[in-house]
Amino acid sequence: MAEALWATVALIAAGTLAPLLLRATRSRGGGRGAGPVQHITQNISATGMFGRATGTLNNR
């Protein structure tokens, strides 16, 4: 039981620390030659249980 509790604590800690570490590494890479950030939006829709999914990609 104690191992399960420690595993839960480790998962919570990893979930809260990961975004902070990712944000820190992204801010350092913004030197010369970084270029603009590309945003891609994808919309997917399907109707019914066996409906075929269709989607669109919007590159901005």
Side-chain angles (χ1 to χ4, degrees), residues 23-35 37:
R23 194 174 305 144
T25 56
R26 285 184 187 166
S27 65
R28 290 184 193 158
R32 282 191 300 158
V37 177

Side-chain angles (χ1 to χ4, degrees), residues 46-57:
T47 57
M49 183 185 270
F50 298 105
R52 187 173 188 175
T54 59
T56 58
L57 275 173

Side-chain angles (χ1 to χ4, degrees), residues 11-43:
L11 283 174
I12 292 171
T16 56
L17 291 178
L20 296 175
L21 292 174
L22 286 174
R23 194 174 305 144
T25 56
R26 285 184 187 166
S27 65
R28 290 184 193 158
R32 282 191 300 158
V37 177
Q38 182 179 10
H39 296 281
I40 298 175
T41 305
Q42 186 174 13
N43 299 319

Side-chain angles (χ1 to χ4, degrees), residues 1-11:
M1 186 68 165
E3 290 88 5
L5 290 174
W6 280 114
T8 304
V9 170
L11 283 174

